Amino acid sequence: MDRGSFLGMLLGVTLLAVAIGMGPNPRIFFHPASLIVVVGGVIAATLIRFPMEHVAYAFSIASRAFFTRTPETQDLVGQIVGLSQRARREGLLKMEKSLDVEGFLAKGLRMVVDRSGREHIHAVLAQELRATQDRHHQGQEIFRFIALSAPSFGMVGTLIGMVQLFASLKDPSNIGGAMALSLLSTLYGAVIAYLLAIPIAGKLELRSKEELQLKQIMMEGVLGIEGELHPTALEAQLNAFLAPKERGSERRKSARG
């Protein structure tokens, strides 16, 4: 898990635990009926709204978003420029034999080696970019739906508790359980939405933008190699995707100056 996400999650859980622990009886915050209403309701609504395989995939990419580190963009630019230099020096066929990349970049480079044509290469890679964006958007939509439905089911639990409360006015021994259901359902719904679902959806959106930028750099690099663009010109073109402080060639020039 990246440091910011870990610290944020740890801080959120710690604050909740400290606030609950400072009370006279922390065990009252565990209420099975409230959990059943909120957690069970959210799961049921999510499975009704989305196919099960989409939900499973959303949780899979969420785990990767938190536990997988995104490659540095300047490192990627340097790698592509190195491949361009090797292609000019050794030729495309020799470069392919020593190719040490995989995934999107490898797919594009193999099409270059196969002389698939610039338009075909661009069409295939652009389509894969759109498909990746659609998959990521689907995962974000699922967690945004969870963030929306959790407080709603918290309100459902509150209404159930209020009905039980009014029905128990003649029997004071049942009022405590009804009040706990009313209040804790709202609490559980808010925690699920604001500590889990909304931050996860935001993290997925951020990771999606980072991955799409990396793949756009790869696509431009592949097309530059296919067009036999000079490595210096290719590096300048790819550096346009980076913030000024991240641009390797400019840092080297400033260091020499």
Side-chain angles (χ1 to χ4, degrees):
M1 180 178 291
D2 66 89
R3 186 178 301 176
S5 299
F6 175 75
L7 290 177
M9 189 69 68
L10 179 63
L11 180 61
V13 173
T14 301
L15 289 175
L16 286 174
V18 169
I20 292 173
M22 292 176 65
N25 185 10
R27 288 180 297 178
I28 62 175
F29 284 88
F30 176 72
H31 194 263
S34 299
L35 285 172
I36 290 172
V37 171
V38 178
V39 177
V42 168
I43 293 173
T46 303
L47 293 178
I48 292 170
R49 173 66 177 82
F50 302 97
M52 184 176 294
E53 59 270 19
H54 292 181
V55 176
Y57 178 75
F59 279 89
S60 173
I61 62 172
S63 65
R64 292 201 300 269
F66 279 90
F67 292 98
T68 303
R69 185 178 180 85
T70 304
E72 295 290 341
T73 49
Q74 59 265 41
D75 294 339
L76 176 62
V77 170
Q79 182 183 31
I80 293 173
V81 172
L83 290 170
S84 174
Q85 292 170 340
R86 189 189 305 172
R88 288 175 65 88
R89 185 174 60 250
E90 304 173 357
L92 290 173
L93 291 177
K94 287 187 178 180
M95 182 194 70
E96 184 191 23
K97 292 179 181 178
S98 58
L99 205 59
D100 56 353
V101 297
E102 57 184 20
F104 188 82
L105 181 56
K107 181 177 183 179
L109 291 173
R110 289 193 179 95
M111 286 192 289
V112 173
V113 173
D114 293 339
R115 305 292 183 183
S116 299
R118 185 179 185 86
E119 291 185 1
H120 176 73
I121 294 171
H122 182 272
V124 171
L125 296 182
Q127 177 58 40
E128 185 161 337
L129 273 177
R130 288 191 293 270
T132 299
Q133 190 172 21
D134 289 342
R135 289 194 300 270
H136 290 181
H137 178 74
Q138 187 177 80
Q140 297 163 32
E141 185 181 359
I142 288 174
F143 281 99
R144 290 194 180 102
F145 177 80
I146 292 174
L148 180 67
S149 61
S152 300
F153 278 101
M155 182 59 65
V156 169
T158 298
L159 294 175
I160 293 173
M162 293 301 294
V163 170
Q164 293 178 350
L165 175 64
F166 289 125
S168 303
L169 289 178
K170 294 183 179 180
D171 185 4
S173 63
N174 294 329
I175 292 178
M179 284 292 293
L181 177 61
S182 297
L183 299 177
L184 290 177
S185 296
T186 302
L187 174 64
Y188 292 157
V191 169
I192 291 173
Y194 296 106
L195 187 59
L196 296 176
I198 291 177
I200 291 175
K203 179 66 75 173
L204 288 179
E205 183 177 7
L206 176 63
R207 289 288 187 250
S208 176
K209 290 179 179 178
E210 292 173 347
E211 182 175 344
L212 289 174
Q213 184 190 47
L214 290 174
K215 288 190 174 182
Q216 285 173 346
I217 293 173
M218 293 176 192
M219 184 170 70
E220 291 297 326
V222 167
L223 294 175
I225 293 173
E226 191 277 338
E228 299 182 352
L229 193 64
H230 192 278
T232 303
L234 179 60
E235 183 177 20
Q237 180 176 325
L238 298 181
N239 275 339
F241 287 93
L242 310 181
K245 65 180 181 180
E246 297 178 331
R247 298 173 185 175
S249 60
E250 295 184 5
R251 289 201 306 271
R252 291 192 293 270
K253 289 179 182 177
S254 63
R256 289 196 298 265

